[in-house]
């Protein structure tokens, strides 16, 4: 059996020449699908026993500031844009740095990365939204960092506080500061 590795030209022809990446930036994404692969060999440590790997498909919704998506040329992208990340569910650690899998799950669930995280089934993650930092590597847009979407809290004030705040913003005419006199360079004695 022969194995063929396509050339760069063949790869680009198959991928399409009109494919343009989204820029390196922060995005709001939605977990579209998680595919579990079993008994995958560890390419970094062939002596280690094979294990499970997750292929996570993330759909880009917008830039994290809410702006509409545009590609690196500034044009709206055609169709939906997907990012892929590959996770090892056996890596759950915090030291020396939280694992990529832990960062992803904590962000998707909106939990603190250092807290105990319980996940009954990975299907619970499908449909969740999170912030992702995308970097370009080898011609692809790759998820580099995962963060929960920040929830803004609005402090509700009673009517008295709101009225006092409004009064403080509007200075009454009687207490308005008097404008300073104009001074010209000719008026300054030297």
């Amino acid at each position: 059996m022969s194995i063929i590795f396509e050339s760069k030209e063949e790869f680009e022809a198959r991928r399409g020449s009109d494919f343009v990446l989204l820029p390196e930036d922060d995005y709001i994404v939605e977990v579209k699908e998680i595919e579990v692969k079993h008994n995958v060999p560890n390419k970094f440590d062939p002596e280690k026993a094979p294990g499970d790997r997750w292929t996570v498909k993330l759909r880009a919704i917008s830039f994290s500031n809410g702006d509409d998506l545009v590609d690196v040329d500034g044009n709206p992208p055609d169709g939906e844009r997907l990012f892929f990340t590959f996770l090892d569910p056996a890596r759950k650690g915090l030291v020396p740095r939280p694992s990529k899998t832990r960062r992803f799950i904590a962000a998707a669930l909106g939990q603190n990365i250092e807290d105990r995280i319980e996940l009954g089934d990975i299907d619970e993650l499908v449909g969740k939204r999170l912030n992702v930092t995308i970097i370009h590597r080898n011609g692809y847009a790759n998820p580099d960092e995962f963060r929960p979407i920040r929830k803004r809290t609005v402090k509700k004030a009673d009517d008295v506080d709101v009225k006092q705040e409004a009064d403080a913003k509007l200075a009454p005419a009687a207490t308005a500061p008097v404008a300073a006199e104009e001074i010209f360079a000719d008026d300054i004695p030297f």
Side-chain angles (χ1 to χ4, degrees), residues 22-42:
L22 293 177
E24 291 183 324
D25 210 325
D26 290 335
Y27 294 88
I28 293 176
V29 298
E30 180 178 82
V31 179
K32 185 170 180 171
E33 180 181 325
I34 301 176
E35 179 185 351
V36 178
K37 295 180 181 178
H38 302 288
N39 296 317
V40 177
N42 187 328

Side-chain angles (χ1 to χ4, degrees), residues 26 29 53 59 62 66 114 121 130 161 163 170 181:
D26 290 335
V29 298
R53 300 294 181 273
R59 182 176 65 89
S62 69
E114 295 176 354
D121 187 4
L130 58 145
D161 291 340
K163 183 172 179 0
L170 300 173
E181 289 185 44

Side-chain angles (χ1 to χ4, degrees), residues 3-176:
I3 300 173
I4 299 172
F5 296 90
E6 63 188 3
S7 69
K8 183 176 180 179
E9 291 80 22
E10 291 170 324
F11 168 76
E12 289 174 353
R14 181 175 53 84
R15 183 180 192 186
S17 60
D18 59 345
F19 182 81
V20 181
L21 293 173
L22 293 177
E24 291 183 324
D25 210 325
D26 290 335
Y27 294 88
I28 293 176
V29 298
E30 180 178 82
V31 179
K32 185 170 180 171
E33 180 181 325
I34 301 176
E35 179 185 351
V36 178
K37 295 180 181 178
H38 302 288
N39 296 317
V40 177
N42 187 328
K43 67 180 179 180
F44 300 108
D45 187 3
E47 301 296 320
K48 196 172 184 181
D52 291 348
R53 300 294 181 273
W54 297 348
T55 301
V56 181
K57 192 183 296 185
L58 304 166
R59 182 176 65 89
I61 296 173
S62 69
F63 287 102
S64 63
N65 66 0
D67 288 350
D68 291 336
L69 296 175
V70 293
D71 60 26
V72 292
D73 296 332
N75 301 318
D78 296 332
E80 72 179 1
R81 285 301 176 103
L82 302 174
F83 301 124
F84 294 87
T85 191
F86 306 96
L87 304 173
D88 180 351
R91 295 178 180 244
K92 302 173 186 170
L94 282 166
V95 178
R97 176 179 178 202
S99 72
K100 185 176 179 182
T101 304
R102 184 181 193 93
R103 292 189 319 261
F104 168 75
I105 292 172
L109 295 176
Q111 292 186 312
N112 184 336
I113 199 162
E114 295 176 354
D115 290 346
R116 179 184 176 92
I117 301 171
E118 291 188 35
L119 181 66
D121 187 4
I122 61 169
D123 290 334
E124 292 176 31
L125 301 174
V126 175
K128 299 287 186 181
R129 291 186 175 188
L130 58 145
N131 279 316
V132 175
T133 300
I134 297 296
I135 61 170
H136 292 172
R137 193 178 316 141
N138 299 327
Y140 288 100
N142 295 302
D144 186 54
E145 195 58 51
F146 305 102
R147 291 173 315 287
I149 294 177
R150 185 173 59 177
K151 295 178 179 119
R152 295 183 182 205
T153 57
V154 177
K155 183 179 178 184
K156 295 187 178 188
D158 59 359
D159 294 337
V160 174
D161 291 340
V162 172
K163 183 172 179 0
Q164 288 174 350
E165 183 180 329
D167 288 343
K169 290 181 182 177
L170 300 173
T175 60

